[in-house]
Each structure stands twice: as structure tokens, then as C-alpha cells.
Amino acid sequence: MWKLLKTNLVIEKSSKKNIFAFIFIALFIFGLALYMENEDVGNLAAQKTSEQQNVLSALSQYPDMDASPNGDSSEIYKNLNEQQRLIALQRIAANLNKPDLFADSAIDLSNAREKAFLDADYGDVAEFLPTYNENKLETIFYERLISLDIPIFTDNLTYYQFLIFLFGILGSVWFIFCSLLYLWNND
């Protein structure tokens, strides 16, 4: 059997079509890794920076007030300040590679957002914050990670992050290919 495999390998590696396919796949994988590294795909600190910008935009809707528990500010303002604190804590946890702290603060952030949904003034800042369903999914995700003791990868170019991104791209291309094939066969 090994002799047959060696013979097939010698035959297949001499084919120009197979050499071209191998080079194309290698360049695609290498280009995808470079893209992920340059665009910070899966980088938790970069994602939290954009979330923090959204909360800061929501906070800009209000004048500067005292956000302490005994302060004269509204409850939504206090909640947004708490969200800003928790997002900053998540960024620190991502930069210091502390996945447990990141997951715990993510659950606290989801709980704070859930309290914001109940506030009467939530409609004023709803466009800057995630929807109720997105928040609930994030809560379930991080609770499940903690219960299963699965680590959170803070580096954007790990093997698992790369596979998730690769299968996402291949799945998108496959969906488009199948859709076009379906349309072509049914015309």
C-alpha cells in the first residue's frame, strides 16, 4: 500500500495542474493569515475599543454629571458610566492576557446592559448599545465558557481563531456557489 501511495504522489506532484492548485491554496492561506494579523481579526482589545467608543458616544448625549451612587445624575447615565468602567476592565484583561477576568467582566457588562434596557431613558441611547438579543447571546456565551472551563484566546492569530475565520470565509463562498448553481439549474 505504501508503494502505491508513493507512486501516486510522484505522479500527482509532477502534474502542472496539481502544482498550481497547491501554490494557489498556500498563497490563499498565507494571505488570510496576513489579513487576520493586519486587521486584528479576533483581537479582543480592538473589539472592546470600538465598544468603548459607542458608550462614549452615548455618554456625550448627557451633560457632565455626578455619576456616584448618591449623585444627581440619571440612572441611565450611571449605568453608562458603569458600562464604560467594565469595558475598560475587559480591555485591560485582554491586554494582560487574563481570560478569567475578561469573562467575569463580560458577564457583569451584560448584566449592566440588561439593567439599562429597563430604564425609561434607554431609547435615547439605544442606537449606541447592542440589542437585547445580542446582549443575551453574549451573556449565554460567556457563562457557557466559564461553566465548561474553556479558555478565551486573546491573541488574534491562534490556530482556533484562524480556523474559525477560514471556515467562515469558505462557508460564505460555498453558500454563494451553491446559490448560483441552484439558480443556473432552475432557469
Side-chain angles (χ1 to χ4, degrees), residues 34-176:
L34 283 176
Y35 175 79
M36 284 183 65
E37 184 65 28
N38 289 334
E39 294 296 319
D40 281 337
V41 173
N43 188 347
L44 294 176
Q47 290 174 356
K48 292 302 162 183
T49 301
S50 66
E51 276 189 43
Q52 190 169 27
Q53 291 298 322
N54 289 340
V55 172
L56 286 173
S57 298
L59 279 171
S60 71
Q61 304 294 318
Y62 298 96
D64 289 336
M65 295 185 253
D66 182 15
S68 64
N70 297 329
D72 61 344
S73 62
S74 65
E75 288 300 317
I76 192 74
Y77 185 78
K78 291 176 185 176
N79 188 289
L80 288 172
N81 276 303
E82 178 66 15
Q83 287 183 34
Q84 183 182 12
R85 183 188 72 78
L86 290 169
I87 290 172
L89 185 61
Q90 282 185 307
R91 287 181 60 201
I92 290 169
N95 287 333
L96 296 178
N97 201 14
K98 304 258 184 201
D100 295 334
L101 178 63
F102 187 89
D104 291 338
S105 58
I107 291 173
D108 293 342
L109 177 64
S110 296
N111 292 336
R113 286 181 175 157
E114 197 166 316
K115 289 178 188 174
F117 293 134
L118 303 175
D119 197 287
D121 295 330
Y122 175 73
D124 298 339
V125 295
E127 64 186 292
F128 301 109
L129 300 176
T131 63
Y132 181 80
N133 289 337
E134 290 171 345
N135 186 52
K136 204 57 158 167
L137 287 173
E138 187 171 329
T139 304
I140 293 168
F141 174 72
Y142 285 110
E143 285 175 350
R144 189 73 174 163
L145 283 180
I146 289 173
S147 69
L148 294 176
D149 198 27
I150 297 174
I152 298 171
F153 295 104
T154 56
D155 185 23
N156 63 332
L157 199 55
T158 60
Y159 179 69
Y160 299 110
Q161 290 279 359
F162 179 76
L163 281 181
I164 290 169
F165 191 67
L166 175 67
F167 287 140
I169 287 177
L170 292 178
S172 300
V173 170
W174 182 252
F175 174 75
I176 292 170

Side-chain angles (χ1 to χ4, degrees), residues 8 11-23:
N8 283 339
I11 293 171
E12 295 297 325
K13 78 176 184 179
S14 62
S15 170
K16 295 203 185 295
K17 181 172 57 172
N18 291 341
I19 292 171
F20 176 74
F22 176 75
I23 290 173

